[in-house]
Amino acid sequence: MGTLSVFLDVPLVKKTDNLLDHYKEDPHPQKVLLGHAGCQTDAGEAWIPPVVQRILLQISQDPTLNHEYLPELGIYEYTRAATELAIGKESRALLENRAGGIHTIGGTGALWIGAEFLCHWYKPRFSTTTALYIAEPQWDSLGCIFQVAGFTDIRPYCYWNPVKLTVDVEAFLKTLQKAPTGSIVFLHAPEEIGLKPKEWEAVAATMEKNQLFPFFNIESQGLASGNLDRDAWALRHFVGQGFELLCAQSFSKTFGLYDELAGNLIVVTKDNETLIRIQSQLGRQICTTWWSPSSLGARVIGTVLNSPALLYEWKLSLRMVVERIMLIREKLKEKLRILGTPGSWEHLTAQSGMCSFIGLQSSQVEFLVKHRHIYLFENQQINICSINSKNLDYVAQSIHEAVLATFLKDYN
């Protein structure tokens, strides 16, 4: 045997600048992380609905359950209920058997399987290389999935104006109008983007005209407005307009199941035969990727979604979280007003959902990290749930100082 490894040429992957790592390494007693991935309680712990805790206990004590492999497409009762939740139980696509779900390992698993499938099988007649559009805030975190899947022409689009601090639907539409025919448009968290129904209608009309393919990513249904149907409006409109589409669906945030990942890849086609063929290919992909999806998270979600009483209880839990999020937005805006922080902060309450553009400049974000030990992403999106009664005053005062420092510097 030689003394040198046969893996000498394997390069070291440069570690991503991980916000959580920097936060954990910081010894400052008042440090704050505004970039939690999930939903947090006022105590700063991961939120989990009470109904989920009860179902987990019931499942663990159920002697009839075994640990056999699941079918490659997963638990049908789960995927059917999840798909109905997203596109509506009365959707024509479901009634005509041309829409279905595939049980995946989390929302990321649904994204990966969908991206890999599109890269291999989506062949529009109009071009040899398919362009894929992804929103700038998701460029780093999710763009890599499509890159690894094989897409080579990945382009950014904007829906937020960082100067006016508002949704910029005109810029979004201009990008779609100029997109090559047959391009794929990745629509992340439409429930939180902030477009009104009329604006979504304009987006759908532009995409239909240019024959663009929508790939939705639903991860916070119910946590934007507190209404599951309202948060699914955009997706349901596209389905109702006759689009063929994919939709990655995640339940980690809405069920608090971060360590029991359960996702669903929704496929909507023109007819049942096409759906069956696509599901067969996706089944093959799954067999060569993870063989069988995990069951626990899906069993919990399926149990809740298929029980009217448990579903009602879960909906109430979501509304309570949304009310807390809205209250935090109002309190933060009011505290900044009282402090006399330069600028308008109306955008804090104009947005909805867990994620929010904070409206700070890069230098102000740097100030927060360096001088106030407050960590947030460079794209200036924060998780509103990361703010609680214990750190609200500190966060507001820190934002005030960051803005004031920049304001005075520019003035001088």
Side-chain angles (χ1 to χ4, degrees), residues 77-352:
E77 293 77 12
Y78 157 70
T79 57
R80 177 74 183 191
T83 302
E84 289 177 352
L85 185 74
I87 69 175
K89 186 176 290 188
E90 304 301 323
S91 170
R92 284 187 59 187
L94 272 175
L95 297 176
E96 294 170 358
N97 292 318
R98 53 184 182 84
I102 290 88
H103 181 173
T104 63
I105 299 179
T108 304
L111 284 178
W112 168 253
I113 291 296
E116 192 178 42
F117 172 81
L118 288 176
C119 188
H120 190 76
W121 293 106
Y122 180 71
K123 307 292 183 184
R125 303 181 298 275
F126 321 104
S127 62
T128 53
T129 302
T130 302
L132 183 138
Y133 286 81
I134 187 168
E136 286 187 349
Q138 285 72 51
W139 182 263
D140 292 328
S141 59
L142 299 179
C144 57
I145 294 176
F146 293 95
Q147 186 177 25
V148 174
F151 284 93
T152 56
D153 186 1
I154 304 176
R155 309 179 188 187
Y157 69 81
C158 261
Y159 63 84
W160 178 260
N161 188 318
V163 178
K164 296 181 178 179
L165 300 176
T166 185
V167 172
D168 194 346
V169 68
E170 291 184 4
F172 187 18
L173 289 172
K174 283 181 181 178
T175 301
L176 297 178
Q177 289 163 359
K178 295 178 181 179
T181 305
S183 298
I184 298 170
V185 182
F186 182 66
L187 299 166
H188 175 75
E191 65 274 17
E192 292 187 329
I193 285 179
L195 269 65
K196 298 178 176 64
K198 286 289 184 183
E199 293 169 335
W200 275 117
E201 288 176 359
V203 169
T206 302
M207 290 182 64
E208 184 177 17
K209 182 179 179 181
N210 285 12
Q211 300 181 52
L212 307 179
F213 184 89
F215 190 165
F216 282 86
N217 185 29
I218 307 289
E219 62 176 23
S220 300
Q221 185 182 352
L223 286 176
S225 69
N227 185 297
L228 290 161
D229 295 324
R230 189 181 306 162
D231 286 357
W233 194 94
L235 172 62
R236 293 180 185 183
H237 177 70
F238 274 75
V239 175
Q241 292 299 110
F243 278 86
E244 289 190 298
L245 58 83
L246 294 184
C247 174
Q249 190 180 19
S250 171
F251 293 100
S252 298
K253 295 176 181 177
T254 54
F255 277 80
L257 294 169
Y258 302 104
D259 61 345
E260 297 292 348
L261 297 175
N264 184 41
L265 178 63
I266 300 171
V267 182
V268 180
T269 63
K270 294 293 186 183
D271 53 66
N272 177 255
E273 290 183 4
T274 303
L275 175 65
I276 291 173
R277 285 188 280 110
I278 291 175
Q279 287 178 323
S280 71
Q281 291 294 336
L282 292 171
R284 174 181 286 184
Q285 282 180 236
I286 287 170
C287 283
T288 59
T289 307
W290 55 65
W291 182 258
S292 173
S294 54
S295 66
L296 182 55
R299 291 190 194 280
V300 173
I301 297 163
T303 299
V304 172
L305 296 183
N306 286 300
S307 165
L310 298 178
L311 178 61
Y312 178 75
E313 185 179 347
W314 175 62
K315 288 180 179 180
L316 289 180
S317 296
L318 292 178
R319 287 175 196 159
M320 290 176 64
V321 172
V322 171
E323 287 173 3
R324 176 175 169 264
I325 290 172
M326 293 170 63
L327 184 61
I328 293 171
R329 290 180 180 275
E330 288 286 354
K331 285 186 175 181
L332 180 59
K333 184 180 76 171
E334 180 63 12
K335 287 187 178 294
L336 292 172
R337 184 192 68 79
I338 293 172
L339 288 168
T341 309
S344 171
W345 300 94
E346 292 298 321
H347 61 280
L348 290 176
T349 51
Q351 300 173 77
S352 62

Side-chain angles (χ1 to χ4, degrees), residues 29-48:
Q30 287 185 290
K31 64 181 179 179
V32 178
L33 175 65
L34 295 181
H36 287 101
C39 192
Q40 302 285 301
T41 66
D42 190 61
E45 300 174 348
W47 171 78
I48 179 170

